[in-house]
């Protein structure tokens, strides 16, 4: 049975990979409809021939890597179970300590280490790809440092999460998923509070915006929007990437407005103000809190489904997967695999909601700044800097895009400009 499950898993992954290779390289069409040709959303009007070619090449390969990486994670956990690595990890943990928490940490360390080793090649391919297309400027040592920081942060958080999770499962086999969700609410809020001041600075240096004239303009914009912001931060991303970005993160007193230095270097003040107005819209319309509520709702449903699916899978294939019971630590790879699958399946819904919020933020930003030329120029420069497709294939948009496509964003701005001129002429 174990061999059969493993064979079917490999075949499913190969068929899935071939499908997306065919879809992205031979079937999907990213060309514009006739009515958009020659418009400001047409990449041929603001990218040169080489940039157009590189955008198509880079996007197709990057999208293929995305679609291959998540199911590869599922395959990894499946083979951890089928090949008995879970049993080996548990024995190593039991032979190392008599304390349950320490044994859990040791088991988790070996599982995390094997996952890190298994996924690093795909991560490195993605890094090399962005480097070869001049998106990434990061040295290998710096990239590896970030990977190791990721490993230890995730490992540290997982020790607490997994120890509490299996304590709850042992206490209540029927309702552990509900208690786990209840505890995840304050934990999620706490991590969002810590993110800007504890976790983010581990990767990059943050400091107050050096351009005080621009900071004054941004703070005036924030005051106009009713946002109690006192400082704007910039982060040194130029040593890692040529891409552009800006964001507002954190909650409460730890919330921050952050600009990448690449954005400061490549965009004009008017373009940066449009980006800032967009980010402020998320605060004004309380998108952060709606996002938290949506995440918590999805996590409740996800934990419930995970609990039911774990019981079903272990009841039917527990022997082949070498999992004696749900409350055994060896069921952790199955838990992680099911949760990852549910996250992937639910991503079209979460992306749809995100695209709606981002579209609202775009409308808010242009109403506030009234500068369509700067706004359109911003999106064109974002496209150039990230080699992003203006009109990505449908499945890419559904599974990857938390923002409207550049075609949708620039077209909205052109329509806004036309409508404004019509009102002025009336």
């Amino acid at each position: 049975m174990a061999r059969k499950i493993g064979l079917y898993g490999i075949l499913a992954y190969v068929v899935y990979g071939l499908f997306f290779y065919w879809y992205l390289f031979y079937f999907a069409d990213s060309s514009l409809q006739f009515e958009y040709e020659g418009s400001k959303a047409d990449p041929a009007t603001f990218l040169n021939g080489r940039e157009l070619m590189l955008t198509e090449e880079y996007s197709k390969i990057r999208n293929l890597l995305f679609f291959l990486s998540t199911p590869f994670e599922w395959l990894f956990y499946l083979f951890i179970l089928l090949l008995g690595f879970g049993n080996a990890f548990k024995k190593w943990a039991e032979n190392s300590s008599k304390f349950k928490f320490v044994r859990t940490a040791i088991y988790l360390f070996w599982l995390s280490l094997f996952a890190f080793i298994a996924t690093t090649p795909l991560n490195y391919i993605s890094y090399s790809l962005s480097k070869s297309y001049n998106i990434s400027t990061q040295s290998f040592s710096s990239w590896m440092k970030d990977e190791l920081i990721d490993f230890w942060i995730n490992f540290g958080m997982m020790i607490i999460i997994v120890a509490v999770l299996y304590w709850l499962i042992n206490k209540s086999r029927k309702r552990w998923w509900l208690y786990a969700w209840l505890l995840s609410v304050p934990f999620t809020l706490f991590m969002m509070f810590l993110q800007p001041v504890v976790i983010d600075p581990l990767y990059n240096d943050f400091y107050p915006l050096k351009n005080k004239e621009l900071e004054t303009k941004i703070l005036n914009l924030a005051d106009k929007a009713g946002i109690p912001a006192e400082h704007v931060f910039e982060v040194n991303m130029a040593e890692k990437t040529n891409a552009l970005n800006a964001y507002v993160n954190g909650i409460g007193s730890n919330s921050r407005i952050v600009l990448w230095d690449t954005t400061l270097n490549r965009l004009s003040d008017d373009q940066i103000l449009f980006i800032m107005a967009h980010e402020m819209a998320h605060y004004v319309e309380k998108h952060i809190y709606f996002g938290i509520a949506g995440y918590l709702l999805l996590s409740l449903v996800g934990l419930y489904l995970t609990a039911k699916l774990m019981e079903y899978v272990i009841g039917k294939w527990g022997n082949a997967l070498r999992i004696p019971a749900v409350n055994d630590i060896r069921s952790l790879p199955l838990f992680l695999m099911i949760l990852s699958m549910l996250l992937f399946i639910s991503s079209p819904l979460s992306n749809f909601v995100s695209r709606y919020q981002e579209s609202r933020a775009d409308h808010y930003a242009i109403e506030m700044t009234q500068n369509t030329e700067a706004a359109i120029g911003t999106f064109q420069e974002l496209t150039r800097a990230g080699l992003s497709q203006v009109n990505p294939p449908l499945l890419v948009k559904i599974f990857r895009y938390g923002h409207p496509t550049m075609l949708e964003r620039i077209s909205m701005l052109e329509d806004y400009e036309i409508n404004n001129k019509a009102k002025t002429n009336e």
Side-chain angles (χ1 to χ4, degrees):
M1 177 62 77
R3 285 186 179 180
K4 189 179 288 187
I5 293 173
L7 179 61
Y8 287 158
I10 292 172
L11 286 175
Y13 183 71
V14 170
V15 170
Y16 167 92
L18 289 173
F19 167 78
F20 273 102
Y21 177 79
W22 166 78
Y23 174 78
L24 293 169
F25 285 85
Y26 296 101
F27 179 77
D29 183 11
S30 60
S31 61
L32 299 186
Q33 296 174 349
F34 173 77
E35 59 265 31
Y36 295 108
E37 291 181 2
S39 71
K40 293 177 182 178
D42 186 349
T45 63
F46 60 90
L47 298 180
N48 60 42
R50 177 172 169 75
E51 288 171 334
L52 286 169
M53 179 190 70
L54 292 177
T55 295
E56 286 301 309
E57 287 180 359
Y58 177 68
S59 296
K60 287 177 180 178
I61 302 171
R62 184 182 60 169
N63 290 330
L64 180 61
L65 286 172
F66 166 81
F67 283 111
L68 291 178
S69 60
T70 302
F72 180 80
E73 179 187 348
W74 310 339
L75 200 64
F76 164 77
Y77 287 129
L78 178 63
F79 275 89
I80 285 289
L81 295 169
L82 293 175
L83 297 176
F85 282 107
N87 290 336
F89 298 159
K90 187 176 182 181
K91 285 180 182 177
W92 297 343
E94 288 173 343
N95 292 335
S96 301
S97 176
K98 62 180 181 179
F99 299 106
K100 192 169 185 179
F101 180 81
V102 177
R103 291 202 299 266
T104 299
I106 293 170
Y107 175 93
L108 191 58
F109 172 78
W110 285 112
L111 179 62
S112 300
L113 181 63
F114 273 59
F116 179 80
I117 293 169
T119 55
T120 293
L122 269 179
N123 292 338
Y124 177 75
I125 291 171
S126 181
Y127 159 72
S128 297
L129 176 71
S130 61
K131 186 96 172 174
S132 63
Y133 280 86
N134 203 33
I135 303 296
S136 173
T137 59
Q138 191 173 19
S139 66
F140 174 78
S141 60
S142 174
W143 173 79
M144 199 66 219
K145 177 187 172 185
D146 284 352
E147 291 290 301
L148 290 172
I149 290 173
D150 278 345
F151 174 85
W152 288 111
I153 288 176
N154 291 334
F155 174 64
M157 287 194 298
M158 286 296 287
I159 289 175
I160 300 169
I161 293 169
V162 172
V164 172
L165 178 69
Y166 279 86
W167 178 78
L168 291 172
I169 293 174
N170 279 299
K171 290 291 182 182
S172 176
R173 287 283 294 272
K174 288 186 177 180
R175 294 188 178 86
W176 64 264
W177 56 272
L178 178 60
Y179 302 137
W181 178 79
L182 290 172
L183 286 176
S184 76
V185 175
F187 182 78
T188 299
L189 296 176
F190 179 67
M191 291 307 300
M192 290 188 70
F193 187 78
L194 284 186
Q195 181 84 30
V197 294
V198 176
I199 297 176
D200 288 348
L202 294 174
Y203 297 89
N204 300 99
D205 295 325
F206 291 77
Y207 34 83
L209 186 62
K210 296 172 187 173
N211 186 337
K212 294 305 175 185
E213 184 180 344
L214 177 60
E215 183 181 46
T216 300
K217 292 179 182 178
I218 293 171
L219 292 177
N220 286 339
L221 202 65
D223 183 61
K224 184 180 174 183
I227 299 173
E230 295 181 4
H231 299 289
V232 180
F233 291 85
E234 62 179 282
V235 54
N236 61 327
M237 292 299 296
E239 62 185 28
K240 292 185 177 182
T241 183
N242 284 318
L244 313 180
N245 197 17
Y247 59 87
V248 177
N249 73 340
I251 56 174
S253 60
N254 278 3
S255 59
R256 283 183 170 184
I257 299 174
V258 179
L259 279 161
W260 285 11
D261 58 353
T262 51
T263 304
L264 292 166
N265 295 336
R266 293 182 61 168
L267 297 184
S268 68
D269 283 6
D270 285 342
Q271 291 172 331
I272 290 170
L273 288 175
F274 173 78
I275 290 177
M276 287 291 93
H278 171 99
E279 296 302 330
M280 290 171 191
H282 292 310
Y283 179 93
V284 171
E285 300 206 350
K286 296 180 170 46
H287 290 164
I288 293 173
Y289 299 102
F290 283 120
I292 293 171
Y295 167 77
L296 292 175
L297 177 61
L298 279 177
S299 64
L300 175 62
V301 175
L303 283 169
Y304 170 76
L305 291 175
T306 300
K308 295 302 178 185
L309 288 169
M310 283 181 73
E311 290 283 359
Y312 175 78
V313 171
I314 292 172
K316 191 163 186 179
W317 297 290
N319 289 334
L321 297 175
R322 304 170 193 249
I323 306 173
V326 172
N327 63 338
D328 191 291
I329 190 67
R330 286 170 287 186
S331 68
L332 180 60
L334 178 63
F335 172 85
L336 295 173
M337 180 171 67
I338 292 173
L339 204 59
S340 176
M341 287 178 170
L342 292 176
L343 282 171
F344 185 75
I345 292 168
S346 66
S347 61
L349 174 61
S350 56
N351 285 339
F352 174 80
V353 173
S354 177
R355 287 195 300 272
Y356 171 76
Q357 291 181 338
E358 296 295 339
S359 178
R360 292 273 301 177
D362 285 346
H363 280 88
Y364 180 94
I366 194 58
E367 289 284 354
M368 176 174 272
T369 59
Q370 294 288 312
N371 192 335
T372 52
E373 183 181 349
I376 290 171
T378 298
F379 290 140
Q380 290 175 340
E381 192 58 36
L382 285 169
T383 302
R384 179 182 291 106
L387 294 181
S388 306
Q389 286 176 308
V390 167
N391 186 34
L394 179 62
L395 290 181
V396 174
K397 176 183 173 181
I398 290 173
F399 282 95
R400 292 208 67 187
Y401 274 56
H403 290 73
T405 66
M406 287 303 180
L407 174 62
E408 293 166 337
R409 302 180 91 169
I410 296 175
S411 297
M412 180 276 291
L413 292 170
E414 285 192 294
D415 290 342
Y416 179 87
E417 188 174 37
I418 292 169
N419 291 335
N420 253 16
K421 286 180 179 177
K423 288 179 183 177
T424 303
N425 294 331
E426 284 178 0

